[in-house]
Amino acid sequence: MVGLDRRQALGLLGAGGAAIVAAGLLPSPARAAEARPPDPVAATYLRVLLRHTRWAEQQFDRAAGIYPARDFTFAVVLGNALLLTRDGYDAAAAGVGRDTLREHTLATIRHFAASNVLAGGTEWGRKLFFDTTFQSYFLLAARLLWTELDDTTRGHVERITTGQAAYTTALGERDDPASGGWTPNGLRGGYVGDTKLEEMGVYAQSLAPALAWAPGDPAAPAWHAAFGAWSRNEAGLPAADLANPRLVDGRPVSANTATNLHDTFLVENHGSFGPHYQEELWRTSGRNAAHFLLAGTPLPEVLTAQPNGELLWRTMLLMTSDAGEPLMPMVADREHLYGRDVIPLAFRAQVLGDRYAAYAEAQLAARLEPYQAYAPADRITKFSGEPKYEPEARAELAISYLLHEWRADHGGPVTPASKAEFDRHAAGTADFGAGPGLLAHRSPAAWAGTVSKPGFVKFAWQPHHDDWLFVLGGANPVLLPATNIAVRERHATTYAKVRDGFDGTVGVLRFDTGYAAFATLPTGAAVYASTGVAGGEGVLDVYNLAMPGVPGLDGDRTYTAAEGAVTVKAQAAPAGARTDELTFAPVTARHVRMLGVQPDPQYGYSLWSFEVRDGDGPDLARAGTASASSASPGKEAKYAVDGDPATRWAVSTADRPRAGSWLAVDLGAPESFDRVRLSWEAAAGRKYRIETSPDGTTWTPVATYPVPALRSTGGRLDIDGRAGVSVAGPNPITVTGDRVTLSDGPPAPFVAELYPGPAKASGRVATGTAAVEGTVTDGFLVLLNLSGAAVSGTTTVPPDSGVYRLYRGEQTLTGTGTEIAYALGAAEGRVEPPRFTVRGPAGLTAVVRDASRVELTAPRTVAVTVTPDGGPPRRVVLPPGRTVPVEFRDVRPYPLDDLALGRTTFPAQPLPPGMSSPAAAVDDDPATAWRPGPDGRMVVDLGAVATISAVELAWTPGRVPATTIETSVDGLTYRAGSTGPARYVAVRTRGWRTTDASLTRLSVRT
């Protein structure tokens, strides 16, 4: 700190000064002497803030002498305050001298402290949405620079702090009348399409500064009660909350009233799954914690014991990219907002001590500087979001730095998990349900998901969890050629390692034009099969940027096929506005049109101008009459041919998703021409044709856009060394610009195998029926019934160097491979791992019962070698015509017939006193067990209602407490019993003692 020593600072701060310094608000003498951030991640944050100061200073209003109120830009003062109170200020990096920055910052704090409504001003403040978010940042900045503020400004800051708490508390559960339509729905919340988690968090964060800085105020108990009620209910879910009697800040979790989550622990916002908003739980916690930690006031318990927080975090882990932030297949904005995604990870890592969050935070921190250097340089929110996000990101980066400082003085740095540890921990599958429309799988090598939410329909795949390989977000298509195709049926299957021996998913969707299916494997590979839902299917849009320091973004992408390789250079500017000039053999026609094939995914088609010329002759369209398939008001077709660069044609809002929109020009008489020039607005057609006509009725194509850079019929494609695809189908693979199309042509059945590495030879196998597609991919047999009727048949899996793979069910070894019988229900997909391999003669038959048992029959005496997956080989002599059972007792007999295995359990964290995690009773590990604690009760959520026939309990040695089994279909009302329809199964204990047995296994049978 400059200009003030520690003793002077304490004198100005008063009685609370020692606590504030101890908490880390002022630099300790040791840290000041060290003159460096507490760890490498914090050092990155400091460098990013320094460079970001260049942007902040560009916003400074020199006439007014302050940072402006526009978009809450004045919140940059928190980043400024951090830089001004920490050593290592670099004026060259910041683009402004330290003294100048101090003047700007203090002047802005004085102004906005006085102009806040709570201090008697009229400019801003008190309004919950979203003045209080920026008010929180502002108050932190003022506290960091407290010793440099005049008495009047300090008084304003204190009135803002306590006045806001009084205002919010007085509202009770009512809406803030100043905030328009924003509402938390009281303490009931809401979750379908738009969670109220964020809104409840806003109410809570408006109270936090007063609780931190004025804990002795007579009104503090009321503030504390209100803060606790809003905070505890942020992630409310009755089925989970009612199962948890744990007290948090003196109130039982079971008293929660809100429903803010889907029952699969997923949050929707703006109509679909929004990971950015699911992270809001820890974003607001980070803001709130900064006040308490800097003030030296104990954290409210709810900040470190958030009901259902760990189950929400589990969803985030499943979605995590290699950049540490979640992948976002259903949001059109809020993606790649690196500056906004730091604070949730920093809070979990630095305050909660989460090693996996620490790993994710380190990955995101490593991207920040390359991201910041990319145009527009210096900013830390790009590609999406709102203008206010920029000052907000600066403030949250400063808070994240402060959390690192606090951790350094309270137990030292958190050691991040290794990449291998993180990938193991985050791996899994989840069907989040037909409502949210997401079936997800994270393996160590890839992320994949079947998305059936209207408007976002796709089969998403991201090898190596690469945040910058394939474009997944919002309305961007993946594999399907568009995201607005109506889903008529959804069929989802999940495989879990604890139950099936491997993780995997199969999603089968029915559309009006056919079926498509997507199977994901534990190797990271995936299989896509389609009956030919639409033309130009198998779409993979590729990010292609020059962002040095981010893997893969080196300025070009190289694609290699059997016919050769092509390198596509990155665009000089982000995709959007462009000018296309298409030339063709001279034609004579009266009419010419642009017929769309693929629109911009957000806005359709929009043209500034449409010109028709013969060589360098005049624009023939200027004298013509334009018409269009549709138009937005004020953007009619005529504006594309009026010669005015400020006017344009745009399709109607309703037609934005329509592929075949058109703009036509009647030249008035037949004319000769050989080119057209189209100047697009940001809604630039991704693909279109130019057609001519003598009469406006019969059209002939003369040119297409774009022309593929690569066209291959070889069936394989390597994508920049980062992914490989094998395709079996009649249409070619093309690379056009930054788009890969795996079946570029009219609708046709095809199968694509996608690998997080080099492409392999096609594993497609004949199934004996047109309705079923089959592959052997990475050894897994994938069978996909792309029809609405049950089917049965056989398929043959080729041997591998004389070794035959055996799969569940009946099969016979033949000269060409393992002939396997299958039966599939309507629109059923199945993934079968090779349970055994065998070396033996043709004619051998096998029936695989499970992963540990196989029955073999040979036509003559023969010795064979049988090897279970993951087990040792065994030599078996088979007498002629007699079935010999072979059992490997040290191999788990997957798939296990137990509905409870691997399912979500309650209570979740925080646990009641004396209780251990009930997940230990459903993890298939005899070395772990659930310790009930006094009158402990656990619940397992089976995921869907099933008719159960029995519930089995296995205990460790010792006295078994009195136990009751209860079941429920809704998680709210339970009945005693262990049979019948149920989704939730509970085990209630009575009279438990510390020396009693613990529950090693809870099994549910059908």
Side-chain angles (χ1 to χ4, degrees), residues 375-655:
D378 303 330
R379 289 180 50 188
I380 52 176
T381 61
K382 302 175 186 182
F383 306 105
S384 61
E386 305 171 34
K388 69 180 182 180
Y389 279 10
E390 198 66 35
E392 192 162 12
R394 179 177 179 83
E396 291 179 350
L397 207 60
I399 291 173
S400 299
Y401 183 94
L402 293 170
L403 297 181
H404 276 259
E405 279 193 340
W406 177 84
R407 169 56 66 174
D409 287 342
H410 295 79
V414 177
T415 302
S418 67
K419 182 182 186 305
E421 287 176 315
F422 184 91
D423 284 340
R424 283 194 301 270
H425 184 67
T429 62
D431 179 8
F432 292 99
L438 177 62
L439 173 66
H441 178 191
R442 192 185 201 277
S443 69
W447 181 88
T450 295
V451 180
S452 55
K453 190 77 173 179
F456 303 97
V457 179
K458 66 189 69 171
F459 296 98
W461 182 63
Q462 200 68 288
H464 310 293
H465 324 108
D466 189 338
D467 204 27
W468 288 104
L469 183 55
F470 296 132
V471 184
L472 300 186
N476 292 285
V478 189
L479 294 177
L480 291 169
T483 59
N484 62 342
I485 305 175
V487 176
R488 302 307 182 191
E489 292 177 18
R490 173 187 188 267
H491 303 266
T493 303
T494 60
Y495 299 93
K497 188 173 184 179
V498 67
R499 183 181 64 248
D500 301 291
F502 71 100
D503 288 334
T505 69
V506 182
V508 182
L509 303 181
R510 182 177 74 82
F511 308 100
D512 289 335
T513 54
Y515 288 81
F518 193 51
T520 67
L521 307 178
T523 60
V527 178
Y528 177 73
S530 170
T531 59
V533 172
E537 202 171 346
V539 169
L540 295 169
D541 286 332
V542 180
Y543 284 111
N544 191 2
L545 307 173
M547 194 185 296
V550 176
L553 299 187
D554 52 8
D556 58 52
R557 296 286 192 179
T558 298
Y559 303 88
T560 305
E563 293 83 353
V566 62
T567 297
V568 178
K569 296 293 184 182
Q571 295 185 15
R578 69 169 195 270
T579 298
D580 304 332
E581 183 164 323
L582 280 66
T583 60
F584 38 85
V587 298
T588 299
R590 175 173 172 171
H591 301 268
V592 60
R593 74 176 180 180
M594 182 285 300
L595 175 63
V597 175
Q598 181 195 340
D600 173 83
Q602 300 298 130
Y603 300 109
Y605 303 91
S606 181
L607 281 165
W608 293 109
S609 66
F610 183 87
E611 303 173 22
V612 181
R613 300 179 187 273
D614 187 31
D616 57 359
D619 176 13
L620 302 173
R622 286 290 303 280
T625 302
S627 58
S629 54
S630 70
S632 294
K635 298 179 178 64
E636 288 77 20
K638 63 182 180 181
Y639 293 117
V641 296
D642 65 354
D644 186 344
T647 62
R648 62 186 171 94
W649 162 73
V651 295
S652 66
T653 301
D655 268 8

Side-chain angles (χ1 to χ4, degrees), residues 770-796:
V772 177
E773 289 288 0
T775 71
V776 179
T777 306
D778 285 343
F780 289 79
L781 175 61
V782 178
L783 295 169
L784 305 168
N785 180 7
L786 303 181
S787 77
V791 293
S792 60
T794 60
T795 187
T796 299

